[in-house]
Amino acid sequence: MSDDASNRSEGPMTTRELLPTASAARTRAAVRELVGSYRWAAVGSFTTMIAATAVGLLLQPLLGHMVDVVADHRPPGDLTLPAVLLVLVALAQGGTTALGLSLVSGLGETVLARLRERFVDRALRLPLEQVEKAGTGDLSARVTRDVSVVGEAVRSALPELARSLLAIVLTLAAMAVLDWRFLLAALVAVPVQAHTARWYVRNAVPLYARQRIATGDQQQQLLDTIAGAGTVRAFRLERQHTEHVTERSSAAVELTMRGVKLVLRFYNRLHVAEYTGLAAVLVTGFLLVRGGSVSIGTATAAALYFHSLFTPVNSALVLLDDAQSATAALARLVGVADRPATGPERQAPAHPPAGADAAPGTVGVAGVHHAYEPGRPVLRDVHLTLRAGERVALVGPSGAGKTTLAKLIAGVHRPTSGSVRLAGAGASGTGPPVALVTQETHVFAGSLAEDLRLARADATDDELRTALATVDALDWVEALPEGFGTVVGEGGHRLTPARVQQLALARLVLADPPVAVLDEATAEAGSTGARLLERAVARAVEGRTALVVAHRLTQAAAADRIVVMEDGRIVESGTHDELCAAEGTYASLWQAWSGTRATADQPPHTATAPTRP
């Protein structure tokens, strides 16, 4: 739990600033842009589908011809050729349909892969402040559920929808060829179907959009509760969090059940359209046959044509359910993927230059105020200068604003007012001007070398060894089963919290930023690895400007300067000896801490498990 959690408590009704969702017009335009890159593949796919559908339309006339043969009492041998043709048509239709569906599916998968790549690229470039405001649940829902929904639609709904629409158009054309009056009879069902489709889309689009948001809220609450399980238990908030999870889950379930009821009503209306249209075609056929305008076989073919429309029409309309769900998910993906690329070469520096007279690496915080929510300030009129190469420890009680100040200096957030300036921020370089290391470090799935090279892709093996040696991790890395090639992360070799943090510090060394911000980077180590990590931190930040949110006061005591915060303000600043002599807030914290250590018969400077200030 961060030290600012008390200032950012989030109840079930807290309004989050969700990541952008694209408009319907922009979503369609994005799909056209993606498909446009594969124009010839699209033409080939749909040409094959048209051929498959056209071949299939020969079945009904052949069956009608067989009816006429029987009705006219012709010799049985006259049925041989139509029967053989029926078999050939079935084989040709099956082959071309399979080929067409595979081509359409392949095209869809290729376009979806492009969209996923674009989404991931843009998501990785999102400002961290925007991700935090939206909540990780919103982003994770888009990455998981929304991508899954769109992927399923591409694999199944898109090919079937394409085949169904072609079948509808070509079948109606075939009915008109038989007799234009059959076409008019078939169109009797269209008003009912069109009204049903409009009614469904009008109700489904907002419903599925709300369902997506509710799912994101549900995931966010689950992530908050599970990730903070220790804190929830410590503060006896189990009942409150359970109620929040239940409330958001119930909201998601209620919207899902409304969607089910909507689909059932949709099906009922489709059945009415089917029976109305079939009755009209049969009556028309009866009248035309009695008037001698068409043969019984032709009327039979018309009825079979209309009956064959049941499946594609129902499929097309039913697929509106998948289409609306997929469209809502697609709009959320495009909303992120459509953001302009903001790579380092085009992004404005997060920190304006501190001035020509300041040494590179100097950080100036001037008159900073910050609030996550209006009327609830976390920082108040903070002024602070970090001199180039200086190691500053930030201490204070929980909720004092330490983490917020650290994130402002790291560029994660922008202050509500005031400025955070960095000397040399506009200079070109291979790494970021500021690097942030927190207690929540992630080990990516892959080899350990690949995990380290995330900080610098072109790092050589010798540079990896140097970085690991700097943080005292080289010995245990080389002792791993496959050394640098050992797979770590999900499904790989498990690393202790202290070793995970050493990897994070090694990445810091590889990135080589002029300014390093460490937000309780040794908090997860426990007593055993405390001294090891403190030594690793000291070596990793050597020669850099460093702001260390100190979890242990031994870190503060070893710093060049200590800054003490209370209630969003800096109340003390000085060296360890100066602040102890001043007998203020820091002196009280140190006295309480060292007293606790004394009861454990451990000298303060060698303590391995100090309590958190």
Side-chain angles (χ1 to χ4, degrees), residues 3-328:
D3 70 334
D4 300 326
S6 59
N7 293 311
R8 300 187 63 190
S9 59
E10 184 174 274
M13 301 307 292
T14 300
T15 300
R16 295 184 291 119
E17 296 181 21
L18 298 179
L19 296 171
T21 297
S23 64
R26 182 54 210 153
T27 301
R28 290 191 296 270
V31 171
R32 286 196 298 270
E33 291 170 8
L34 289 169
V35 174
S37 301
Y38 306 94
R39 185 177 297 106
W40 292 113
V43 170
S45 301
F46 285 100
T47 299
T48 305
M49 291 294 296
I50 291 172
T53 305
V55 170
L57 292 177
L58 296 175
L59 291 173
Q60 289 83 355
L62 287 172
L63 290 172
H65 176 69
M66 295 174 75
V67 169
D68 282 338
V69 169
V70 175
D72 295 341
H73 303 289
R74 299 180 195 174
D78 289 354
L79 294 173
T80 303
L81 180 59
V84 172
L85 291 176
L86 280 176
V87 174
L88 295 177
V89 166
L91 292 175
Q93 183 189 23
T96 52
T97 299
L99 177 60
L101 289 176
S102 68
L103 290 175
V104 172
S105 297
L107 175 64
E109 287 288 356
T110 303
V111 171
L112 178 60
R114 282 282 305 278
L115 177 62
R116 279 199 300 259
E117 292 168 0
R118 189 170 172 181
F119 175 87
V120 171
D121 177 70
R122 299 300 191 270
L124 291 175
R125 297 170 185 265
L126 285 173
L128 292 180
E129 182 175 19
Q130 185 177 14
V131 175
E132 286 199 351
K133 287 181 178 179
T136 52
D138 184 31
L139 185 58
S140 66
R142 298 183 192 224
V143 171
T144 55
R145 182 172 177 80
D146 289 343
V147 169
S148 176
V149 168
V150 175
E152 184 61 28
V154 166
R155 295 181 189 98
S156 58
L158 177 62
E160 183 61 30
L161 182 61
R163 189 168 73 92
S164 297
L165 292 176
L166 286 172
I168 292 169
V169 172
L170 294 179
T171 301
L172 290 175
M175 292 184 72
V177 170
L178 293 178
D179 192 292
W180 62 271
R181 286 165 288 192
F182 285 126
L183 175 60
L184 292 181
L187 295 179
V188 169
V190 172
V192 180
Q193 293 167 335
H195 175 74
T196 300
R198 284 197 302 270
W199 168 82
Y200 180 76
V201 170
R202 184 172 62 250
N203 289 277
V205 170
L207 178 61
Y208 282 118
R210 290 173 59 192
Q211 187 178 344
R212 289 281 170 264
I213 293 174
T215 301
D217 289 342
Q218 180 189 33
Q219 289 197 17
Q220 178 65 48
Q221 185 61 55
L222 287 171
L223 288 171
D224 289 346
T225 300
I226 294 172
T231 302
V232 170
R233 287 194 296 269
F235 288 94
R236 301 180 183 275
L237 297 175
E238 295 94 335
R239 181 176 180 181
Q240 180 182 351
H241 274 257
T242 300
E243 290 175 351
H244 292 173
V245 170
T246 301
E247 180 179 346
R248 294 187 177 182
S249 297
S250 298
V253 170
E254 191 270 336
L255 288 171
T256 300
M257 293 307 300
R258 285 177 60 184
V260 171
K261 293 177 181 178
L262 187 68
V263 171
L264 291 177
R265 294 173 64 187
F266 177 65
Y267 284 144
N268 290 337
R269 298 187 182 199
L270 288 184
H271 293 326
V272 172
E274 289 174 359
Y275 296 141
T276 301
L278 183 57
V281 171
L282 290 174
V283 169
T284 301
F286 171 76
L287 294 175
L288 292 176
V289 170
R290 189 175 67 174
S293 299
V294 298
S295 67
I296 295 177
T298 301
T300 301
L304 290 174
Y305 269 139
F306 187 82
H307 189 273
S308 71
L309 284 175
F310 284 9
T311 298
V313 168
N314 286 347
S315 294
L317 294 178
V318 168
L319 285 173
L320 284 174
D321 181 57
D322 293 334
Q324 295 308 317
S325 181
T327 299

Side-chain angles (χ1 to χ4, degrees), residues 299-581:
T300 301
L304 290 174
Y305 269 139
F306 187 82
H307 189 273
S308 71
L309 284 175
F310 284 9
T311 298
V313 168
N314 286 347
S315 294
L317 294 178
V318 168
L319 285 173
L320 284 174
D321 181 57
D322 293 334
Q324 295 308 317
S325 181
T327 299
L330 183 61
R332 285 160 55 84
L333 295 179
V334 173
V336 174
D338 224 23
R339 290 180 57 85
T342 54
E345 70 281 357
R346 290 191 287 176
Q347 185 177 13
H351 305 83
D357 56 341
T362 299
V363 179
V365 179
V368 164
H369 294 259
H370 191 71
Y372 294 104
E373 298 177 15
R376 300 182 64 181
V378 178
L379 297 179
R380 301 172 176 84
D381 194 28
V382 174
H383 295 263
L384 176 65
T385 299
L386 306 181
R387 295 182 290 275
E390 183 182 28
R391 180 180 172 189
V392 176
L394 198 59
V395 301
S398 179
K402 304 188 298 296
T403 291
T404 297
L405 180 56
K407 288 185 175 181
L408 290 176
I409 291 176
V412 174
H413 299 309
R414 294 182 183 274
T416 304
S417 63
S419 64
V420 178
R421 298 180 178 273
L422 170 63
S428 60
T430 58
V434 182
L436 172 67
V437 180
T438 70
Q439 60 181 316
E440 299 174 354
T441 299
H442 183 71
V443 178
F444 294 87
S447 70
L448 189 142
E450 291 173 336
D451 196 280
L452 290 172
R453 286 193 173 98
L454 290 171
R456 201 170 87 230
D458 60 350
T460 65
D461 287 349
D462 287 340
E463 288 172 327
L464 297 185
R465 290 188 179 90
T466 300
L468 290 170
T470 301
V471 298
D472 295 323
L474 183 59
D475 290 342
W476 65 258
V477 168
E478 291 183 333
L480 291 174
E482 298 179 40
F484 284 100
T486 301
V487 175
V488 295
E490 187 69 25
H493 185 84
R494 294 181 62 85
L495 300 177
T496 65
R499 290 183 173 182
V500 169
Q501 210 64 32
Q502 282 179 297
L503 290 185
L505 292 172
R507 289 199 291 253
L508 171 66
V509 174
L510 288 169
D512 195 24
V515 179
V517 177
L518 292 89
D519 184 7
E520 299 187 348
T522 64
E524 298 295 326
S527 302
T528 305
R531 284 181 295 175
L532 173 65
L533 279 186
E534 287 177 17
R535 185 166 60 249
V537 166
R539 297 180 67 178
V541 301
E542 187 174 352
R544 315 179 202 283
T545 306
L547 178 70
V548 180
V549 179
H551 176 71
R552 295 175 173 83
L553 290 190
T554 47
Q555 290 178 291
D560 299 324
R561 182 160 52 107
I562 301 168
V563 173
V564 184
M565 295 191 68
E566 278 188 353
D567 194 27
R569 293 184 173 89
I570 294 177
V571 295
E572 291 181 341
S573 178
T575 65
H576 171 75
D577 292 337
E578 290 171 348
L579 295 182
C580 285

